[in-house]
Amino acid sequence: MKIGAARIFVNDIQAAKEFYSQLGLSLENYDLESGICIFNTGETKLIVESVLPAAPKEDQILVGRFTGLSFQTNNIQKSYESLKSIGVEFSGVPEQQYWGGWLATLIDPANNEVQLVQESA
């Protein structure tokens, strides 16, 4: 088995579409009325879904949290500088991890946290 899709929940689908597009992800499907964007990231689809303001509390808590999702890069410092230069917000600079790789956490317009990861050599 392999992971086919990962989901992120937002409160502004248009802002999310712009944000994830500027990360270089390929937009496969966008439906403003349904509040959904699907990005092709290779083998796994990234599905970004809007949570409406009138949605139940259990749906609202899905917005603005650490997602556990990581976007792989071969040069985290270069990716960090490039994204920072176009206004992408990070919680800090790239940091080397105990396992040898590097991580940098970026924040989308809904305050979801996703990460850049560079595997160890």
Side-chain angles (χ1 to χ4, degrees):
M1 268 192 244
K2 58 184 172 181
I3 296 175
R7 295 164 64 196
I8 294 177
F9 300 91
V10 300
N11 44 25
D12 182 342
I13 198 67
Q14 179 62 34
K17 175 184 169 260
E18 293 170 14
F19 178 82
Y20 288 100
S21 292
Q22 75 182 358
L23 296 184
L25 302 181
S26 175
L27 183 63
E28 188 173 283
N29 191 337
Y30 172 63
D31 187 337
L32 180 61
E33 189 175 312
S34 298
I36 193 165
C37 289
I38 300 174
F39 293 91
N40 187 335
T41 69
E43 291 196 22
T44 303
K45 306 282 186 197
L46 176 63
I47 301 170
V48 182
E49 295 181 48
S50 182
V51 175
L52 298 174
K57 185 177 179 178
E58 59 267 17
D59 292 347
Q60 294 293 331
I61 63 171
L62 297 173
V63 178
R65 63 186 189 155
F66 179 73
T67 65
L69 300 177
S70 299
F71 296 104
Q72 193 167 15
T73 179
N74 293 326
N75 186 330
I76 198 166
Q77 193 62 41
K78 183 178 178 181
S79 296
Y80 169 80
E81 294 296 336
S82 175
L83 292 171
K84 195 136 173 81
S85 75
I86 60 171
V88 173
E89 181 184 348
F90 284 82
S91 65
V93 298
E95 295 181 347
Q96 189 165 26
Q97 304 300 300
Y98 69 92
W99 45 268
W102 290 77
L103 290 177
T105 301
L106 50 114
I107 302 164
D108 80 2
N111 288 319
N112 290 306
E113 296 178 0
V114 296
Q115 294 184 310
L116 295 179
V117 62
Q118 179 182 325
E119 302 283 333
S120 60

